[in-house]
Amino acid sequence: MTASGPARALAAWLALAMGVALAPALATPAGRDGPRYVHAGRLLADPADGRVLARMTVVVDGGRVVALREGFVGPPDQVIDLSDRFVLPGLIDSHVHLGHENGPDDKLLRTVRTPADLAINGVRFARRTLEAGFTTVADLGAENEAIFALRDGIAAGKLPGPRILAAGNVLSPHGGEGDLFGYRDDVTRALQRPNLCSGADDCRRLVRQQVQRGADLIKIVATGAVLSDADAGVDQQFTDAELQAIVEAAHALGRRVTAHAHGAAGIDAFLRAGGDAIEHGTWLDDGSVVLFKRSGAWLVPTLLAGETVAGWAADPASFLSPAAKAKAASVGPAMLAMARRAHAAGVPIAFGTDSGVSRHGDNAREFGLLVAAGLTPLEAIRTATVNAAAHLGLADQIGRLAPGMAADLIAVDGDPLEDVDVLRRVRFVMKAGVIHKHHQEVTCEAGEFC
Ligand SMILES: [Zn+2]
C-alpha cells in the first residue's frame, strides 16, 4: 500500500466518526489532491503501436491520464518515482471467477456456502488480483448477489480490487453444463439457481432477467465442460434457435454475450448466431477460424486453465471424477495447439485465465503460455490491454495510456518485451489514479490474508 497509509487510516476513521461515506476518501488518496507526475524509466503507453519511450512523465489527475510528457517533470512532492522501472497500462483479465477457487470440496461446499460467503472470498481474491497488476477483470460466473455486491463495493471505493464487469449467473440449458449433477433430487431442487432455460422464449426471458438484475455482460455455456460430472461430452448444448434468441435479447439490451465452448460444433453454432466471444475454444477447427474472422468475434484461450487442470489430471491423488479426469488430461496440450493455430490464422485473441480454476493472483502466468503458443511478448501484452479493452467494449477508457484514459498503470523490473514473465512480479499498481501497491512483492501462501 502507499506511504500515506497511516494518513489514510486516520482520514477513514475521521470519516466514520463523522458519519461521512468512505468512498470519496478512497477515490482520491489522502493528501494527494491535484495532479501527480509518474516518472517512467521506460514507458509502453500504447501496446497497439508497441513503441517504448525512455524517461517519460505520465501526468494523472482525477483518476485519469491528463498528459504524457517527455523527460521527468513536475513538482517533487507530486512525483511518483518509477524512473528505474518499466511502466505499462494496467492489465485486463477477461475471464475470472472471483468468488471461489476450485478444490476437492467443491461439491460439498455448494450445499453450505451462501452468496455472502462467496462475496467474502471475492474481497480477498479481488485484492490479490489487483496487486498482481490486473486493474480490470470480467467475472464470467458467480452468483448474482455475490459478484454484483463485490463489483459495486469496489466501484464505490469501499475496498480494493480491480474494476469488475460481472456476468453473474451463467446461462445454461436444463441438463446442460450449468445444471447440477450428482445430488439427490431434493438437494438439487434446493440448490437450483435461476440460470436454466429451455426453448428460445424461455432463454430470451432469462437474458432479460439477468440484465435487469445487473449483469454487465451475458455468459452462457454453449458446450459441455472439462471439469464436469455430466459426462455429456464437449459439444453443442443449446439449440441454434436458443442461441439466436440469447444473442438477440442481449444485444437489444446493449450487452455482449460470451460463451464457454470447447467442441467445434458448439463454437460454430454460437458464432453463427452472432455471439461476441468464445471462452476456451479448445477443439476449434478450420471452419471455426473462418467464422471467427468473418464475425470479428474474440477468442479467449484460457491456457492457464488448461495447464492447471492437466496438472490435476496427472496427480494420482486428484480429486477429479473419472469423467473429468480423462478430459482434463487432454485439454492442456490441446489448448496450446489451438491457440497456436488460431493466432497463426489471424483470429483476434483477448486475454483470459479462468482464474478460480488456477489460483487468483497467478493470472500473469498466462503470458508465458501465450508466448509458448507462438505470440510475441508484445502480442501477448496486447491481448491483456488493447485487445481485452476492445473485447469488453471499453477501448475508449482502458488498455492504453493517453489523455482521457483511466489512470490505470503498472510497473515492473526488466523488460516485458524481452521476458514476458517479468509481468508475474508487478512492483507498482495504480488504478484510477489510486496507488494500490508500491515497490513491494506480495507472495501469498494458502491461509494467508492476502
Ligand atoms: Zn470460467
Side-chain angles (χ1 to χ4, degrees), residues 160-432:
R163 190 177 290 104
I164 297 174
L165 274 72
N169 293 335
V170 176
L171 274 59
S172 163
H174 288 93
E177 208 45 61
D179 209 337
L180 294 165
F181 297 91
Y183 299 101
R184 284 174 9 190
D185 283 354
D186 56 338
V187 177
T188 301
R189 277 194 296 278
L191 294 177
Q192 211 99 58
R193 284 175 288 148
N195 69 320
L196 305 174
C197 62
S198 289
D201 284 347
D202 194 31
C203 292
R204 198 178 282 116
R205 177 196 58 77
L206 189 53
V207 169
R208 290 169 175 165
Q209 180 180 303
Q210 266 307 99
V211 173
Q212 181 267 336
R213 298 277 155 84
D216 300 305
L217 71 170
I218 298 296
K219 162 82 177 296
I220 71 166
V221 288
T223 76
V226 171
L227 296 181
S228 167
D229 292 340
D231 202 11
V234 290
D235 274 316
Q236 182 173 354
Q237 295 193 337
F238 276 118
T239 65
D240 289 352
E242 287 167 338
L243 290 171
Q244 276 159 17
I246 287 168
V247 171
E248 250 176 47
H251 287 178
L253 294 173
R255 299 300 192 277
R256 290 162 194 250
V257 192
T258 189
H260 156 109
H262 288 291
I267 293 169
D268 295 359
F270 181 66
L271 293 177
R272 276 195 300 269
D276 299 296
I278 293 286
E279 312 293 323
H280 316 306
T282 313
W283 287 286
L284 62 79
D285 61 17
D286 291 344
S288 316
V289 167
V290 170
L291 286 167
F292 267 109
K293 295 180 74 174
R294 190 182 296 161
S295 68
W298 293 91
L299 172 66
V300 183
T302 69
L303 302 176
L304 182 53
E307 187 190 69
T308 303
V309 301
W312 292 343
D315 178 357
S318 168
F319 59 84
L320 298 182
S321 69
K325 202 166 187 171
K327 281 186 278 186
S330 66
V331 79
M335 278 183 161
L336 264 182
M338 169 278 296
R340 178 176 292 279
R341 180 150 47 125
H343 173 64
V347 173
I349 292 177
F351 186 101
T353 59
D354 210 356
S355 286
V357 176
S358 55
R359 291 189 60 202
H360 294 287
D362 284 350
N363 313 54
R365 285 176 57 200
E366 181 82 11
F367 288 108
L369 295 167
L370 288 166
V371 169
L375 280 72
T376 65
L378 177 60
E379 286 170 337
I381 290 169
R382 281 183 189 140
T383 69
T385 51
V386 285
N387 289 14
H391 157 48
L392 297 176
L394 298 172
D396 59 343
Q397 298 176 56
I398 57 172
R400 60 195 173 88
L401 298 170
M405 304 292 282
D408 293 358
L409 59 89
I410 64 169
V412 293
D413 292 329
D415 186 344
L417 300 182
E418 284 173 10
D419 175 9
V420 81
D421 278 332
V422 301
L423 293 168
R424 291 170 62 178
R425 295 175 294 281
V426 167
R427 305 296 190 179
F428 175 91
V429 178
M430 172 183 279
K431 188 192 99 183

Side-chain angles (χ1 to χ4, degrees), residues 33 48 55 60 76 112 124 139-140 145 157 200 207 220 240 245 248 250 254 307 352 364 379 416 422:
D33 288 333
R55 295 177 60 81
V60 307
V112 295
R124 180 180 179 211
D139 189 290
L140 296 190
E145 301 93 319
V207 169
I220 71 166
D240 289 352
E248 250 176 47
E307 187 190 69
E379 286 170 337
V422 301

Side-chain angles (χ1 to χ4, degrees), residues 45-135:
D46 185 352
D49 70 28
R51 279 192 307 152
V52 177
L53 303 170
R55 295 177 60 81
M56 293 289 292
T57 299
V58 183
V59 187
V60 307
D61 195 7
R64 302 208 163 265
V65 175
V66 295
L68 302 181
R69 299 221 192 121
E70 290 179 13
F72 294 147
V73 303
D77 66 337
Q78 294 172 36
V79 164
I80 297 164
D81 183 8
L82 302 174
S83 59
D84 58 347
R85 297 185 191 268
F86 190 111
V87 174
L88 64 160
L91 303 171
I92 304 162
D93 190 332
S94 45
H95 189 152
V96 300
H97 300 277
L98 288 174
H100 74 283
E101 284 182 347
N102 278 100
D105 299 329
D106 283 348
K107 197 161 191 172
L108 171 65
L109 283 173
R110 203 190 275 268
T111 66
V112 295
R113 266 197 313 221
T114 67
D117 294 320
L118 294 172
I120 287 172
N121 284 345
V123 169
R124 180 180 179 211
F125 295 145
R127 179 177 160 194
R128 217 189 256 178
T129 303
L130 178 62
E131 290 182 350
F134 289 80
T135 47

